[in-house]
Amino acid sequence: MAKQQGPTKISVEGIYHDKENKINMELSTSLEENIKNLDILFKDCVDVVKREVDISKQIPFRVLGVYIDGMINRELLDHFFLSRIIDYKNLNGSIFESDKTPTQIIMEHFSATFDIKEVDKMDDIVRSILSGDSAIFVDDSKKALVIATRGWPNRGVGEPATENVVRGARDGFTESVRFNTVLIRRRIRDTKLKVKSLSYGIRSRTDVAVMYMEDIAKPELIDEVMERLDKYEVDAIFDSGYIEQLIEESWKSPFPQTQATERPDKVASSLLEGKVAIVVDNSPFVIIVPTTLNAFFQASEDYYQRWQIMSFTRVLRYLVSFLSFTLPGFYIALLNFQAGMIPTPFAIAIAAARAGITFPSVLEILVMELTFELFREAGIRIPGAIGHVIGLVGGIVIGQAAVEARIISPMIIIIVAFTAICTFAIPDYNLTSAFRLIRFFFIIASALFGLYGFLLAMLFVLAHLSSLESFRVPYLAPYCASDRNEFKDLKDTILRFPTFMQVTRPIFAKENQRIRIRLKEDRLDQDLEPGTENGNNNNSNKRGE
């Protein structure tokens, strides 16, 4: 294992901050002292707005409001707080003649919102201000008030960009952690859906929410997720990809050991299977753990349409995913080492197409694969529809020119193009990236050792997949661990069985929560299969009458 060299702590300690970058200033009862401390902390921060207000003319009662311009909902602050201060400002001082603390008086008489709380630590107050809330400091009080006024600019709920479906919900996650948790809770209206909140990153203090079903998810899985999240001190977290790489089991593997998705329905269904979701602020991708190789071939749409067509689609996905990383290497192995296995008419056609080409087939296919990867990257970086046009037109023009110049054979163009189409049929982008990488491994192995190299590469990949785990769950489950759930998990693998036959949850769930489909108590005399004999008999009797 790699051991960390040098300092073991991120250097953030200063005069007003401790080693964990928390503010070590005390909240004072003097408003002037608090203003002085805020001026020190927010020095050269022109976007921080501070306003001092004297509420009562008869009795000195001063408050200081602090917020960051552009991060709050100003209408909310003006309507539910400032307008009430103006209304009470010219009243007599009777409301101040009580045993209540100044902050309690503010909450009772001057606030018309429920989302307000007392805070007694300067670090918590400043963190709330930096998160888009408004803070109210009250003179002669040991506590301050924090009002939830977050209203920073954000992208509205839109359709997922990477997981489009023909049938199903069109809403996708956004960059707001609270919006994302709401999209999930909207689908699971159960008090057993728990949301644990934590802050990640010493400087960024990114909000992270861990979601799970209390009665379905295994406690040891929840504990391990929290333990892995608590392992590192990180400077900043700007996307869920940071956390994804820090909590995975095997960092050397190109295969993803966590699943990232933009679809709330996929996260909701995963939670009901006993998995855990990690929602990260500023990221539209939610992490699902644990995951298996089979889960990457499942799309949300699979469960919204009839089982026959989706089973056919599943088989097609597995087939094209296999071809996406093996076809170029297999072609090289046959052409260079086992040409006798190629049918004679096909071999003659390949030889005629390669006439006049001086480059070896291995170099041809490597150049075309790298060229296609270049087009793919350029298409992503160039904005809008221009990127798609450049990828399409560039591929056609360069491919045609290379064939006419006798640099590349037409068969290589066909294989590379077909391989690229196969990668687009895989539902998960992260798995596609892994297949794109190991494709070159198969090409090199086949170029060196022929069909033996191809088979050795296949065995190596299978052995590697068998060794992987995702949060103690075998990566090849349920194929290698189907007996854990009496082989019932195989009903949702290469073939998707009808919904009424998928009675049990996968192995991720607790033992006593495996059943997810059952007959109602008053229907126990009927079959689980839709269109029962009892129902048919009743219909027949009605028709006969």
Side-chain angles (χ1 to χ4, degrees):
M1 292 180 62
K3 298 294 184 180
Q4 181 173 338
Q5 303 294 328
T8 58
K9 293 287 184 180
I10 296 177
S11 178
V12 294
E13 193 171 0
I15 300 177
Y16 306 108
H17 297 79
D18 61 14
K19 60 183 180 181
E20 295 181 354
N21 204 31
K22 293 184 178 180
I23 298 171
N24 51 26
M25 291 180 175
E26 296 291 338
L27 187 63
S28 175
T29 57
S30 171
L31 187 61
E32 286 79 7
E33 185 68 21
N34 290 329
I35 294 174
K36 178 182 177 182
N37 291 336
L38 290 172
D39 289 339
I40 293 173
L41 293 172
F42 291 110
K43 181 182 178 182
D44 296 332
C45 297
V46 296
D47 55 342
V48 177
V49 179
K50 297 186 287 289
R51 180 184 177 186
E52 185 177 351
V53 179
D54 192 355
I55 294 180
S56 176
K57 290 184 176 181
Q58 299 180 4
I59 299 177
F61 198 89
R62 295 184 301 142
V63 299
L64 175 72
V66 184
Y67 62 86
I68 295 182
D69 188 24
M71 292 189 67
I72 70 163
N73 186 338
R74 188 169 296 183
E75 181 180 354
L76 182 68
L77 182 64
D78 293 343
H79 181 71
F80 289 101
F81 191 80
L82 293 180
S83 62
R84 296 180 66 86
I85 288 180
I86 295 174
D87 293 340
Y88 274 99
K89 189 170 183 179
N90 297 322
L91 297 180
N92 56 40
S94 60
I95 63 173
F96 306 106
E97 297 174 358
S98 65
D99 296 334
K100 297 181 179 178
T101 63
T103 52
Q104 290 175 342
I105 294 174
I106 293 288
M107 294 175 65
E108 181 176 343
H109 294 280
F110 299 99
S111 175
T113 177
F114 285 106
D115 205 346
I116 182 172
K117 61 182 179 180
E118 291 181 313
V119 182
D120 57 0
K121 293 182 180 179
M122 180 65 79
D123 181 72
D124 294 336
I125 298 170
V126 173
R127 180 181 300 186
S128 298
I129 295 173
L130 294 173
S131 299
D133 293 330
S134 300
I136 306 297
F137 294 85
V138 185
D139 196 17
D140 198 27
S141 175
K142 296 181 179 180
K143 297 181 180 180
L145 298 174
V146 172
I147 308 175
T149 56
R150 300 186 184 188
W152 56 73
N154 56 70
R155 180 173 61 92
V157 177
E159 189 171 352
T162 59
E163 298 175 88
N164 295 325
V165 295
V166 176
R167 181 174 181 178
R170 293 292 192 270
D171 55 343
F173 290 123
T174 69
E175 286 75 17
S176 172
V177 64
R178 189 54 59 223
F179 283 9
N180 294 342
T181 57
V182 167
L183 289 173
I184 298 172
R185 190 171 286 281
R186 178 187 176 188
R187 287 167 168 80
I188 305 178
R189 302 175 185 180
D190 190 344
T191 57
K192 298 182 183 67
L193 175 59
K194 304 301 180 182
V195 184
K196 288 186 177 181
S197 180
L198 60 146
S199 180
Y200 214 109
I202 291 181
R203 297 190 184 275
S204 66
R205 295 185 175 182
T206 305
D207 294 326
V208 177
V210 179
M211 306 185 70
Y212 59 92
M213 296 300 297
E214 184 181 31
D215 59 333
I216 300 178
K218 296 179 179 179
E220 55 268 27
L221 172 61
I222 302 170
D223 294 339
E224 185 165 0
V225 170
M226 301 304 295
E227 182 181 350
R228 293 194 188 185
L229 288 174
D230 193 47
K231 181 178 181 180
Y232 295 99
E233 282 187 351
V234 185
D235 205 24
I237 295 292
F238 299 125
D239 186 80
S240 59
Y242 283 68
I243 293 180
E244 189 175 350
Q245 298 173 66
L246 292 175
I247 65 174
E248 61 185 358
E249 201 93 12
S250 176
W251 60 271
K252 297 179 181 178
S253 174
F255 290 92
Q257 293 134 60
T258 62
Q259 190 173 14
T261 179
E262 288 185 281
R263 297 193 61 85
D265 54 349
K266 179 178 286 190
V267 175
S269 63
S270 298
L271 292 175
L272 294 176
E273 291 179 347
K275 297 182 181 181
V276 176
I278 304 174
V279 188
V280 183
D281 198 22
N282 302 318
S283 175
F285 287 90
V286 172
I287 302 172
I288 303 173
V289 293
T291 190
T292 61
L293 182 65
N294 179 62
F296 293 106
F297 293 96
Q298 298 172 345
S300 300
E301 192 178 17
D302 294 354
Y303 307 94
Y304 304 151
Q305 299 195 42
R306 299 190 61 81
W307 66 276
Q308 297 95 334
I309 182 62
M310 299 321 300
S311 295
F312 171 76
T313 304
R314 286 268 185 94
V315 174
L316 187 62
R317 286 177 193 156
Y318 273 88
L319 177 61
V320 298
S321 66
F322 177 76
L323 294 176
S324 68
F325 63 89
T326 59
L327 184 59
F330 187 68
Y331 174 77
I332 294 297
L334 290 182
L335 186 65
N336 292 354
F337 292 87
Q338 280 83 25
M341 296 177 61
I342 305 175
T344 303
F346 190 39
I348 294 174
I350 294 176
R354 289 188 53 80
I357 297 176
T358 57
F359 296 106
S361 57
V362 178
L363 184 59
E364 288 182 74
I365 207 162
L366 283 175
V367 169
M368 287 307 300
E369 287 286 355
L370 292 174
T371 302
F372 186 82
E373 293 296 331
L374 176 62
F375 282 133
R376 186 200 300 266
E377 188 68 17
I380 295 174
R381 304 307 166 197
I382 298 176
I386 301 178
H388 301 290
V389 172
I390 288 180
L392 179 62
V393 176
I396 294 175
V397 171
I398 291 181
Q400 183 67 26
V403 170
E404 292 180 354
R406 313 303 297 170
I407 299 175
I408 304 293
S409 65
M411 193 63 190
I412 296 295
I413 298 292
I414 295 173
I415 289 177
V416 172
F418 182 75
T419 303
I421 294 174
C422 289
T423 60
F424 293 139
I426 302 174
D428 192 274
Y429 178 78
N430 289 331
L431 185 64
T432 301
S433 301
F435 287 161
R436 287 162 52 194
L437 190 61
I438 65 173
R439 183 190 306 154
F440 292 97
F441 172 63
F442 274 82
I443 292 174
I444 295 173
S446 300
L448 293 176
F449 306 106
L451 197 57
Y452 296 104
F454 178 85
L455 295 177
L456 287 175
M458 182 64 67
L459 290 175
F460 179 83
V461 171
L462 287 175
H464 174 68
L465 291 174
S466 301
S467 66
L468 291 179
E469 288 187 347
S470 175
F471 286 82
R472 316 274 182 196
V473 176
Y475 199 62
L476 291 182
Y479 304 113
C480 67
S482 55
D483 56 331
R484 291 190 184 182
N485 201 16
E486 300 177 355
F487 302 94
K488 295 178 181 178
D489 291 355
L490 293 174
K491 295 180 179 179
D492 192 17
T493 52
I494 298 179
L495 297 178
R496 186 189 81 77
F497 280 46
T499 302
F500 73 90
M501 298 182 66
Q502 299 184 33
V503 178
T504 59
R505 292 186 174 93
I507 59 175
F508 318 113
K510 291 180 180 178
E511 291 285 348
N512 61 348
Q513 291 290 336
R514 290 289 171 85
I515 303 299
R516 59 180 171 185
I517 297 180
R518 61 176 65 87
L519 290 172
K520 292 184 177 181
E521 292 184 2
D522 58 342
R523 301 293 183 92
L524 295 178
D525 59 331
Q526 298 183 7
D527 294 332
L528 188 62
E529 179 182 349
T532 60
E533 293 181 0
N534 293 336
N536 292 335
N537 292 335
N538 293 336
N539 293 335
S540 300
N541 293 334
K542 290 181 180 179
R543 286 194 297 268
E545 295 174 357

